[in-house]
């Protein structure tokens, strides 16, 4: 078990002591252990305290799930020490692990004789240690952010001959990418040949290709898709990059930039194959992730987004002579000389940096879903999001927008914040979601009624959810989604674990399930009958067209969900080479951007499964462009 030990500088201690004189917190100096239940079992921590402060906190044993609980293991001790308080933020996706560590730390700290209530509220944060050395470094390319886009850019830049420094403000790589559902959309006729094409799919193509075109780009796509579809032979599912473009453009209300949509869809499959060549495992299954609108979602072998980041980090480890990742190092400013971006200033744990980028700087800092202030500033679509939870990691604060704005960058689509109807009611995270694919579940409200086409766009489903009592719904599926109690969801959680934790419910009949979740049994039975009739008819009164098999095989399962902030579609404006554009539409020399920090690719609504493709397509282009010093 990895042992996380965090030490503090003497200088910080002195500043802290000065800042906190008068604070009632007093410990009996020493080292104490405490244990408390997490998600996978007991978590044991060891804490060392001086008279006035928590000096070290380490998790000495745990059984939390790799990738889900482990971010909490890495971040919560650090947050407790930094804040000198047990009132630390929940780690998205790791609620039980977060709570387990806090409870274990509480149990340990109580033994030190401290007045524990004083630690259970937020306290004034110690000032940063005085004066750090400034380290001057040089690389061909500097990448800001070690999420999916940043790592793809870093690796591609190296593959194009560049030396690379990656700056990551958190203590781990992966950002939102590693905690995402991880589905990757790409038109992939070879793999999609195994998916049967049904009448509802055919009707959807006819609808898409015959609706009035919004503009020339859509008209051209409609004509191409109609031609391709007429020539399609065999019983397998039809797909093409142009159909992917058409659905992406139309599904985002034509707000996206056509040339970015084209670049995105044309290169999606190549991005997936690139990760495969780097060693990433794919199951080979094709499914429809929530809001994807078409079965073109690919599933990694590893749970969540671990497969991408694991593959990237292994590559980087094997090429560490050319790629350096500096963790806990936050980019604070771009260095700009005569209008050209020539480097980055950053702040690390023991040094500040002034890093010269001889060829280019790539901003890949992700979105701002975890920044309530920015969300409020830009959101025009949703009710007040002040109290909304988020699926995002705490570092998704939009730093890259601030950096880019100072360099004169233009932003596009900032109003569009994506919510999912799929948040955990307690934390807003995606974990605990029992759906295995759009086709195989339906939703009911607290009255047991279906209320929306469950294959619709994410914004459509979320808006409909806001109209239900308490904006609350149940996802319903059956044994066919979970053939055994050990079958896991996308978040590496088995259905039996979720039931044991009270996060999912099971019934041998729909009536029994309804009783357990407190909804009228006759309504749930009626909802299932409606759904099953839809499977036969290929369409239903709610307009649903994505079907596979009936939900009729016990046991039946239910999981609660609420709206949650997921993705920010708007961001830095780029061209198809990922060069950042200024407000006059001109390229800012030396500056590139990729991933969720950019805008113009998804329009007003991002299709489910398009983000992983986006960050790889544009991350790779950014690496190539920056290495070339375009
Ligand atoms: P994307 O999907 O676009 O790659 P992610 O959320 O996966 O976005 O990754 C973005 C990464 O950028 C995160 O790991 C985040 O911690 C990091 N990051 C954000 N702001 C900064 C910053 N100012 N300096 C360094 N890293 C940052």
């Amino acid at each position: 078990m990895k042992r996380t030990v965090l030490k503090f500088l003497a200088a910080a201690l002195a500043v802290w002591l000065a800042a906190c004189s008068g604070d009632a917190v007093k410990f009996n100096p020493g080292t104490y252990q405490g244990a408390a239940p997490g998600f996978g079992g007991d978590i044991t921590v060891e804490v060392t305290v001086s008279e006035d402060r928590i000096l070290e906190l380490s998790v000495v044993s745990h059984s939390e799930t790799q990738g889900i609980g482990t971010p909490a293991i890495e971040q919560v001790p650090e947050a407790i020490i930094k804040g000198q308080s047990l009132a630390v933020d929940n780690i998205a996706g790791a609620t039980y692990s977060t709570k387990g560590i806090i409870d274990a730390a509480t149990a340990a700290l109580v033994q030190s004789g401290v007045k524990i209530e004083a630690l259970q509220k937020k306290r004034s944060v110690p000032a940063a240690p005085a004066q750090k050395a400034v380290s001057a470094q040089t690389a061909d390319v500097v990448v800001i952010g070690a999420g999916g886009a940043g790592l793809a850019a870093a690796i591609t830049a190296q593959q194009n001959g560049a030396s690379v420094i990656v700056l990551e403000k958190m203590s781990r790589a992966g950002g939102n990418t590693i905690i995402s559902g991880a589905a990757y959309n790409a038109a992939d006729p070879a793999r999609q040949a195994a998916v049967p094409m049904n009448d509802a799919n055919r009707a959807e193509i006819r609808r898409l290709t015959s609706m009035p075109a919004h503009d020339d780009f859509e008209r051209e796509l409609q004509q191409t898709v109609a031609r391709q579809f007429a020539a399609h032979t065999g019983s397998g599912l039809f797909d093409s990059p142009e159909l992917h473009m058409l659905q992406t453009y139309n599904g985002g209300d034509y707000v996206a930039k056509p040339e970015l949509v084209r670049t995105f869809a044309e290169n999606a499959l190549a991005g997936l194959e690139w990760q495969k060549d780097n060693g990433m495992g794919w199951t080979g299954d094709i499914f429809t992730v929530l809001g994807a609108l078409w079965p073109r979602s690919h599933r990694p072998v590893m749970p969540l987004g671990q497969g991408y980041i694991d593959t990237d980090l292994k590559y980087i480890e094997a090429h560490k002579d050319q790629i350096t990742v500096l963790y806990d190092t936050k980019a604070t400013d771009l260095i700009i000389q005569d209008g050209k971006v020539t480097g980055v200033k950053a702040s690390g744990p023991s040094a500040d940096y002034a890093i010269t980028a001889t060829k280019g700087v790539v901003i890949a800092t992700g979105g701002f879903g975890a920044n309530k202030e920015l969300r409020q500033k830009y959101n025009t679509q949703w009710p007040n999001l002040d109290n909304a939870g988020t699926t995002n990691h705490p570092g998704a604060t939009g730093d890259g927008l601030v950096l880019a704005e100072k360099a004169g960058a233009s932003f596009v689509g900032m109003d569009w914040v994506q919510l999912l109807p799929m948040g955990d009611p307690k934390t807003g995270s995606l974990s605990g979601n029992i759906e295995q694919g759009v086709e195989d579940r339906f939703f009911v409200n607290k009255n047991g009624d279906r209320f929306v086409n469950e294959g619709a766009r994410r914004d459509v489903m979320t808006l409909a959810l806001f109209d239900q009592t308490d904006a609350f719904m149940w996802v319903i599926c059956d044994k066919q989604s979970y053939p055994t109690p050990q079958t896991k969801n996308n978040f590496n959680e088995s259905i039996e674990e979720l039931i044991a934790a009270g996060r999912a419910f099971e019934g041998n009949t729909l009536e029994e399930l309804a009783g357990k979740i407190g909804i009228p049994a006759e309504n749930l039975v009626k909802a299932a009958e409606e759904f099953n009739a839809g499977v036969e008819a290929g369409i239903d009164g709610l307009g649903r067209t994505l079907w596979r098999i009936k939900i009729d095989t016990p046991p039946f399962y239910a999981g609660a969900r609420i709206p949650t902030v997921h993705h920010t579609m708007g961001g830095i404006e780029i061209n198809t080479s990922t060069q950042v554009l200024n407000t006059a539409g001109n390229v800012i020399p030396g500056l590139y951007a990729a991933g969720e920090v950019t805008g113009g690719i998804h329009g007003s609504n991002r299709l489910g499964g398009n983000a992983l493709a986006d960050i790889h397509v544009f991350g790779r282009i950014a690496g190539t462009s920056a290495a070339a010093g375009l």
Side-chain angles (χ1 to χ4, degrees):
M1 210 49 67
K2 192 175 163 204
R3 188 180 159 102
T4 315
V5 179
L6 297 154
K7 291 184 190 283
F8 266 77
L9 298 168
L13 178 57
V15 177
W16 165 256
L17 289 175
C20 296
S21 54
D23 194 316
V25 170
K26 285 269 173 277
F27 304 95
N28 290 322
T31 298
Y32 304 92
Q33 281 209 350
F39 186 74
D42 269 0
I43 298 176
T44 304
V45 307
E46 190 172 276
V47 58
T48 301
V49 290
S50 66
E51 264 191 12
D52 315 276
R53 63 178 287 132
I54 304 165
L55 296 175
E56 290 183 13
L57 174 54
S58 57
V59 173
V60 292
S61 70
H62 73 86
S63 316
E64 302 308 275
T65 313
Q66 184 61 30
I68 300 173
T70 43
I73 303 290
E74 286 157 19
Q75 294 170 36
V76 174
E78 183 184 6
I80 291 175
I81 297 174
K82 264 190 189 158
Q84 291 290 306
S85 161
L86 292 163
V88 296
D89 291 341
N90 179 52
I91 303 299
T95 306
Y96 292 90
S97 310
T98 306
K99 184 170 181 315
I101 297 166
I102 295 171
D103 290 349
T106 306
L109 287 164
V110 160
Q111 299 166 47
S112 75
V114 72
K115 215 168 112 202
I116 204 75
E117 301 77 37
L119 292 177
Q120 284 169 333
K121 52 187 186 231
K122 295 252 186 217
R123 305 175 65 213
S124 51
V125 180
Q131 281 299 298
K132 280 187 277 179
V134 176
S135 166
Q137 305 204 4
T138 300
D140 293 330
V141 173
V142 178
V143 177
I144 309 173
L151 294 180
I155 293 170
T156 313
Q158 181 274 337
Q159 289 172 339
N160 283 277
S163 61
V164 184
I165 294 177
V166 183
L167 304 171
E168 171 52 56
K169 70 174 176 180
M170 309 299 276
S171 48
R172 63 160 178 94
N176 276 346
T177 306
I178 201 169
I179 55 166
S180 70
Y184 188 117
N185 285 351
D188 183 354
R191 293 186 183 92
Q192 287 167 308
V195 180
M197 175 108 177
N198 61 32
D199 285 344
N201 300 138
R202 290 186 189 93
E204 180 62 3
I205 301 269
R206 282 193 290 274
R207 186 187 74 80
L208 282 165
T209 52
S210 60
M211 64 167 65
H214 174 266
D215 53 26
D216 288 348
F217 181 54
E218 186 172 42
R219 189 168 306 107
E220 184 200 319
L221 291 174
Q222 287 176 318
Q223 287 164 0
T224 307
V225 171
R227 225 178 18 252
Q228 292 167 335
F229 184 50
H232 176 69
T233 52
S235 57
L237 187 77
F238 166 75
D239 203 1
S240 69
E242 287 76 15
L243 177 59
H244 193 184
M245 288 173 218
L246 185 56
Q247 290 182 304
T248 300
Y249 192 51
N250 169 290
D253 297 317
Y254 315 108
V255 177
K257 291 172 76 176
E259 66 275 23
L260 295 180
V261 175
R262 180 176 291 284
T263 302
F264 158 73
E266 278 178 348
N267 293 289
L269 185 57
L272 185 152
E273 297 293 356
W274 177 79
Q275 275 295 31
K276 193 159 179 262
D277 291 346
N278 289 343
M280 179 169 165
W282 297 90
T283 62
D285 297 348
I286 299 292
F287 73 114
T288 314
V289 76
L290 179 95
L293 309 181
W294 197 252
R296 64 168 70 90
S297 309
H298 296 65
R299 206 189 294 275
V301 170
M302 290 182 87
L304 297 100
Q306 283 173 34
Y308 301 97
I309 302 302
D310 210 57
T311 306
D312 293 339
L313 292 182
K314 279 192 184 129
Y315 182 98
I316 288 171
E317 178 59 25
H319 297 85
K320 58 183 175 205
D321 291 351
Q322 291 117 2
I323 310 177
T324 305
V325 184
L326 299 174
Y327 291 101
D328 294 308
T329 303
K330 178 175 173 170
T332 51
D333 267 307
L334 297 177
I335 302 169
I336 305 172
Q337 286 169 341
D338 300 329
K340 181 174 185 211
V341 176
T342 58
V344 182
K345 287 187 187 164
S347 170
S350 52
D352 286 336
Y353 294 90
I355 308 175
T356 301
T358 56
K359 296 199 162 158
V361 171
V362 179
I363 300 181
T365 48
F368 58 92
N371 184 332
K372 289 192 176 181
E373 226 171 83
L374 280 191
R375 253 160 46 181
Q376 274 315 101
K377 174 171 169 188
Y378 289 114
N379 160 46
T380 53
Q381 186 185 11
W382 302 99
N384 189 316
L385 294 178
D386 250 359
N387 294 321
T390 179
T391 62
N392 284 203
H393 83 118
T397 47
D399 300 10
L401 299 173
V402 178
L403 297 175
E405 196 167 31
K406 283 198 215 156
S410 157
F411 295 161
V412 281
M414 293 303 291
D415 309 11
W416 307 111
V417 175
Q418 178 163 83
L419 271 70
L420 292 186
M422 280 296 167
D424 177 283
K426 287 207 180 93
T427 65
S429 88
L430 279 178
S431 73
N433 178 9
I434 64 168
E435 73 170 350
Q436 298 282 36
V438 164
E439 287 82 353
D440 298 330
R441 84 301 184 251
F442 61 88
F443 307 153
V444 291
N445 61 18
K446 283 192 165 176
N447 199 39
D449 301 324
R450 287 180 64 215
F451 58 91
V452 70
N453 161 12
E454 301 94 342
R457 291 164 39 152
R458 290 174 162 187
D459 53 352
V460 169
M461 290 187 286
T462 310
L463 278 169
L465 181 54
F466 270 114
D467 285 342
Q468 309 309 306
T469 304
D470 299 331
F472 178 102
M473 72 177 191
W474 295 98
V475 176
I476 308 290
C477 63
D478 70 0
K479 183 182 172 129
Q480 297 169 100
S481 288
Y482 292 93
T484 70
Q486 291 76 39
T487 308
K488 291 181 167 175
N489 63 5
N490 260 4
F491 304 90
N492 207 29
E493 301 157 320
S494 72
I495 194 75
E496 69 180 354
E497 282 168 348
L498 290 173
I499 292 167
R503 302 176 75 203
F505 296 86
E506 180 182 37
N508 283 319
T509 60
L510 286 166
E511 288 83 350
E512 188 190 345
L513 184 65
K516 285 193 181 164
I517 61 177
I519 65 174
E522 64 279 14
N523 292 355
L524 182 60
V525 170
K526 187 165 149 274
E529 283 169 2
E530 261 174 44
F531 175 88
N532 291 339
V535 174
E536 279 182 11
I539 184 90
D540 69 355
L542 295 166
R544 176 168 172 150
T545 56
L546 290 168
W547 309 97
R548 200 171 70 94
I549 45 176
K550 291 184 179 178
I551 293 181
D552 59 1
T553 309
F556 298 96
Y557 298 105
R561 298 281 104 181
I562 59 161
T564 184
V565 175
H566 184 54
H567 184 99
T568 45
M569 270 77 70
I572 299 170
E573 187 169 9
I574 54 170
N575 62 18
T576 55
S577 303
T578 74
Q579 292 169 294
V580 174
L581 304 181
N582 66 17
T583 46
N586 300 319
V587 164
I588 300 176
L591 190 60
Y592 308 82
E596 196 179 341
V597 73
T598 64
I601 294 144
H602 307 289
S604 63
N605 168 66
R606 176 175 67 74
L607 302 196
N610 271 4
L612 268 301
D614 165 8
I615 65 177
H616 284 91
V617 167
F618 290 102
R620 291 178 67 212
I621 295 174
T624 310
S625 297
L630 278 193

